[in-house]
Amino acid sequence: MAFEGLTERLQNAIGKLRKKGKVTESDVREMMREVRLALLEADVNFTVVKDFVKQVRERAVGAEVLESLTPAQQIVKIVNDELTKTMGEAAVPLNKAPHIPTIIMMVGLQGAGKTTTAGKLANYLIKNEKARPLLIAADVYRPAAVDQLKTIGQQLNVPVFDMGTDHDPVEIVKQGMIQADLQKNDYVIIDTAGRLQIDEKLMTELADIEAEVQPNEILLTVDAMTGQAATEVAKGFNERLNITGVVLTKLDGDTRGGAALSIRAVTGKPIKFTGQGEKLDQLDVFYPDRMANRILG
Ligand code: GDP
């Protein structure tokens, strides 16, 4: 279960305050030491933890909290508020093109869940907007990736444009866009190649595709189970591409919370969706306040 350890530790730290009638500044400091450790153990980025702890402490030692009749309750609210703020306040919707098609480019490391998420997004758009998306298979390095996308397309009854693996990805995307114009697709979702780690060739190829089609969305998929490594990946992609949003995948797995809590603060880019399983309907819009509630348990 996601966040189990973090939730338990935060509840413990705050629970100690509940037992006291009156809370002092030193009680708050003690609690914040535990909160800090809990966040670091959950693999949250160090700077993010530092800022978070500072914000909560400043608000929690204020007179209206310490002198109130329900200080612990107020502190829970402050922690909740600040967790929400760290993850971006409000949900950020997908960017839309003024004229069809809206172009969504999926990027990320191999295995992060890019191809699956491309399918999940198509499904989400069909269900929520009665959209007519076209999927473009531009991962030419893994023949299995093209087949995987075609299989997903068949499951969803969504057309998949591919030219096999012998063409330049930029050319494939160009041809795919022509097809989308002919078919009047309202969304184009481009699946691109991933690597086991960020490298120059991958980034140049992605930057070339970006320059060619100027997507409305460049969605970075990152694996939540990799914790702070996911944050580093996001930073790397964000330096080379105009990332517009993040999809945090595998949140159904044994995640500690580090990625969810760090990515927005480190990159400035919103988490737009989360993946909650392997099935094509297991994609959720990311709401920072709901996630904060889930983390606090
Ligand atoms: P890509 O290499 O980035 O295109 O990654 P894939 O889409 O092929 O996904 C890699 C593996 O992760 C596959 O086995 C997917 O079924 C799985 N996967 C993707 N998203 C999720 C998710 O949200 N939860 C879980 N549990 N598995 C996922």
Side-chain angles (χ1 to χ4, degrees):
M1 246 296 279
F3 310 141
E4 217 166 52
L6 179 58
T7 301
E8 194 185 327
R9 294 201 54 172
L10 291 177
Q11 283 179 347
N12 278 344
I14 298 168
K16 286 182 192 158
L17 293 189
R18 284 192 204 277
K19 296 199 190 92
K20 298 179 190 259
K22 191 138 181 65
V23 171
T24 64
E25 192 169 329
S26 109
D27 293 332
V28 170
R29 283 184 192 283
E30 174 58 28
M31 178 201 78
M32 288 316 293
R33 259 195 294 278
E34 288 178 37
V35 167
R36 181 176 169 277
L37 278 176
L39 291 170
L40 288 173
E41 246 169 61
D43 211 15
V44 181
N45 173 278
F46 181 75
T47 311
V48 176
V49 174
K50 218 170 99 186
D51 290 347
F52 176 84
V53 167
K54 184 164 169 275
Q55 293 298 326
V56 175
R57 197 192 285 134
E58 269 171 19
R59 287 180 62 189
V61 298
E64 66 273 35
V65 174
L66 297 185
E67 280 160 26
S68 91
L69 293 173
T70 54
Q73 225 165 300
Q74 306 224 15
I75 287 169
V76 171
K77 184 176 178 316
I78 294 171
V79 171
N80 194 323
D81 280 358
E82 294 296 329
L83 284 174
T84 304
K85 225 189 266 175
T86 304
M87 291 185 288
E89 302 276 16
V92 182
L94 280 177
N95 294 332
K96 291 275 171 70
H99 306 287
I100 66 163
T102 289
I103 304 170
I104 303 174
M105 178 175 168
M106 307 299 303
V107 302
L109 295 185
Q110 192 174 311
K114 213 174 342 83
T115 306
T116 309
T117 306
K120 285 178 173 182
L121 262 180
N123 181 54
Y124 169 87
L125 293 166
I126 292 166
K127 292 269 144 59
N128 288 280
E129 301 183 16
K130 297 193 168 58
R132 295 180 53 246
L134 173 73
L135 291 161
I136 298 182
D139 180 355
V140 295
Y141 302 103
R142 278 196 314 138
V146 177
D147 292 338
Q148 191 187 342
L149 197 67
K150 281 183 172 167
T151 306
I152 288 173
Q154 274 162 11
Q155 282 171 25
L156 297 173
N157 208 9
V158 167
V160 175
F161 180 86
D162 88 283
M163 290 168 64
T165 54
D166 295 334
H167 290 80
D168 177 50
V170 175
E171 184 56 30
I172 294 174
V173 171
K174 249 195 217 172
Q175 295 300 325
M177 291 306 302
I178 293 171
Q179 168 114 337
D181 281 339
L182 288 172
Q183 296 179 347
K184 302 205 166 28
N185 295 104
D186 45 8
Y187 283 91
V188 172
I189 303 171
I190 305 168
D191 187 27
T192 63
R195 300 277 198 284
L196 292 175
Q197 60 200 40
I198 294 174
D199 64 41
E200 190 46 39
K201 188 161 177 276
L202 167 70
M203 283 302 169
T204 305
E205 180 180 306
L206 296 175
D208 288 347
I209 297 176
E210 177 182 5
E212 173 64 35
V213 296
Q214 304 192 353
N216 305 95
E217 280 282 355
I218 302 185
L219 287 182
L220 172 68
T221 54
V222 293
D223 179 343
M225 306 227 295
T226 62
Q228 218 176 132
T231 312
E232 285 306 307
V233 167
K235 227 167 110 186
F237 274 89
N238 197 35
E239 277 161 13
R240 285 296 303 273
L241 305 167
N242 293 306
I243 299 296
T244 53
V246 176
V247 182
L248 200 56
T249 64
K250 309 187 193 181
L251 216 64
D252 51 308
D254 185 19
T255 65
R256 288 183 288 168
L261 279 165
S262 307
I263 281 180
R264 170 67 190 239
V266 170
T267 64
K269 297 300 159 71
I271 299 173
K272 293 198 171 181
F273 294 94
T274 58
Q276 311 269 356
E278 293 190 278
K279 299 209 187 80
L280 294 176
D281 60 356
Q282 290 176 313
L283 182 79
D284 288 323
V285 172
F286 181 76
Y287 294 97
D289 52 345
R290 291 184 201 172
M291 193 57 70
N293 284 332
R294 186 166 149 189
I295 290 172
L296 275 176

